[in-house]
């Protein structure tokens, strides 16, 4: 398991104050940057427990699950993220929303084409230039 001075410092900060969401968030990102997906995931889950309405934590869980090759859990985390983004936060989250909807559509491709079509349409609404989403849309609607 890879560690860095930054991770070690943040672990001490979190140990001193386990409810410090900002330090936890920095620690989760530091784990991500070190490609330590298990610890990153655990830290994001901890943040979601502290701040259950904070959508970005669910997006980050999706990324961690994806890197751990757990696509079903990644899909569930992205679905939670999409559901949690507040209307006033949509503009600032367009890129992440586009990716989350793309991943959900991709995950549903074989099992629920209608739901997949809905998600890919939303993905393209948020990011019309995404060629992966365009190609998936063509496959679904073609």
């Amino acid at each position: 398991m890879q560690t860095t001075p930054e991770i070690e410092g943040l672990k001490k900060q979190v140990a001193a104050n386990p409810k410090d969401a900002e330090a936890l968030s920095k620690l989760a990102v530091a784990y991500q940057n070190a490609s330590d997906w298990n610890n990153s995931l655990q830290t994001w889950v901890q943040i979601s427990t502290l701040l259950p309405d904070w959508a970005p934590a669910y997006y980050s869980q999706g990324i961690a699950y994806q890197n751990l090759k757990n696509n079903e859990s990644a899909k569930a985390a992205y679905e939670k993220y999409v559901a949690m983004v507040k209307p006033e936060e949509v503009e600032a989250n367009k890129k992440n929303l586009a990716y989350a909807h793309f991943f959900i559509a991709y995950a549903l491709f074989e099992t629920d084409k209608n739901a997949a079509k809905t998600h890919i349409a939303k993905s393209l609404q948020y990011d019309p230039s995404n060629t992966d989403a365009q190609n998936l849309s063509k496959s679904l609607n073609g």
Side-chain angles (χ1 to χ4, degrees), residues 1-11 27 30-31 34 36 39:
M1 185 167 67
Q2 188 178 349
T3 189
T4 65
E6 180 187 17
I7 288 172
E8 292 308 313
L10 287 164
K11 279 168 57 176
L27 178 59
Y31 281 133
D36 184 344
N39 279 319

Side-chain angles (χ1 to χ4, degrees), residues 6-25 27 31 43 46 50:
E6 180 187 17
I7 288 172
E8 292 308 313
L10 287 164
K11 279 168 57 176
K12 287 179 185 147
Q13 207 176 328
V14 168
N17 183 0
K19 293 192 184 317
D20 183 345
E22 187 177 338
L24 279 165
S25 181
L27 178 59
Y31 281 133
T43 308
Q46 201 175 341
L50 274 179

Side-chain angles (χ1 to χ4, degrees), residues 35-141:
S35 297
D36 184 344
W37 299 110
N38 283 313
N39 279 319
S40 176
L41 177 61
Q42 289 172 359
T43 308
W44 285 119
V45 168
Q46 201 175 341
I47 292 167
S48 293
T49 303
L50 274 179
L51 304 170
D53 295 336
W54 193 52
Y58 299 101
Y59 182 81
S60 296
Q61 287 173 38
I63 291 170
Y65 279 123
Q66 249 186 289
N67 280 284
L68 292 167
K69 309 287 186 243
N70 184 338
N71 287 345
E72 196 53 43
S73 293
K75 177 179 154 287
Y78 287 133
E79 287 172 334
K80 183 109 177 163
Y81 165 72
V82 164
M84 304 276 313
V85 174
K86 294 171 182 69
E88 65 273 16
E89 298 169 342
V90 167
E91 197 60 39
N93 284 277
K94 275 188 170 180
K95 185 177 178 211
N96 289 354
L97 282 165
Y99 184 78
H101 279 292
F102 167 76
F103 187 87
I104 296 165
Y106 183 79
L108 292 170
F109 183 80
E110 297 294 330
T111 57
D112 189 342
K113 290 247 192 292
N114 286 333
K117 285 179 185 181
T118 301
H119 283 286
I120 204 63
K122 283 195 187 256
S123 177
L124 287 167
Q125 178 186 333
Y126 292 125
D127 183 3
S129 65
N130 183 320
T131 53
D132 289 335
Q134 291 169 359
N135 291 337
L136 182 57
S137 181
K138 285 178 191 154
S139 296
L140 282 163
N141 296 303

